[in-house]
Amino acid sequence: MYRKKYDRLARHYDLLEKPLDRSFEPLRKRAVSLAEGRTLEVGVGTGKTLRYYPRGIELYAVDGSEAMLKVAEERAKNLGLEVRFQRAEVESLPFPDGFFDTVVSSFTFCTVPDPERGMGELHRVLKPGGRAVFLEHTRSESRVINTLFLRPFGLILGRLLDDDPLRDTHRLIGEFFKVEMEETYYHGIVRLIVAKKTLHH
């Protein structure tokens, strides 16, 4: 189960990700700067996004790993931020329908065991007209990159973190939300997507 793997790695996770920070931190900053009002971040991990949230929002954050949440809580405390943390799976969020103005997912759906159910939960807890902001690893537009890079990389990530970098999360988002903006980076290996909850799903 992915939770045990993340619990074990929690204290070293930021160090493992350090080589990617140069590429990903500006994207994290851009993604969470779009949050407004009462906001939920799913799969908050060690809280690398927390420093970038606009001041004045009401922030909730969940993760499936207790150990990762502890690191995120320490980070929030050091930053002087008030965040309501809770251990929860993306597929069964402990919030009422239409509770949030914004939901944020940053490199989360590559590890969600049941992505369809998870996406349905994000849709449920968002207010009608609310926005979902996704920064996700996805299958590349380049078959060569998928075959030579993402597939072998995915075997390592799968064993280490139950992470699948070949998911079509961008297509799944379009099944649940109205996509307003999509930016692709590194031949589609990473996508920033802003989507709206409409009355008709």
Side-chain angles (χ1 to χ4, degrees), residues 112-132:
V112 173
D114 186 341
E116 286 84 2
R117 194 170 155 198
M119 200 64 73
E121 276 291 87
L122 263 56
H123 187 275
R124 180 185 68 77
V125 300
L126 252 190
K127 292 176 181 175
R131 282 190 172 79

Side-chain angles (χ1 to χ4, degrees), residues 167-180:
R167 287 188 176 173
D168 291 316
T169 304
H170 51 303
R171 293 203 174 91
L172 185 62
I173 292 165
E175 290 173 22
F176 283 82
F177 299 95
K178 184 185 178 196
V179 173
E180 295 187 315

Side-chain angles (χ1 to χ4, degrees), residues 10-24:
R11 291 283 158 191
H12 313 289
Y13 189 77
D14 286 355
L15 198 62
L16 282 173
E17 270 207 336
K18 203 152 188 62
L20 299 170
D21 282 350
R22 200 175 191 172
S23 304
F24 289 172

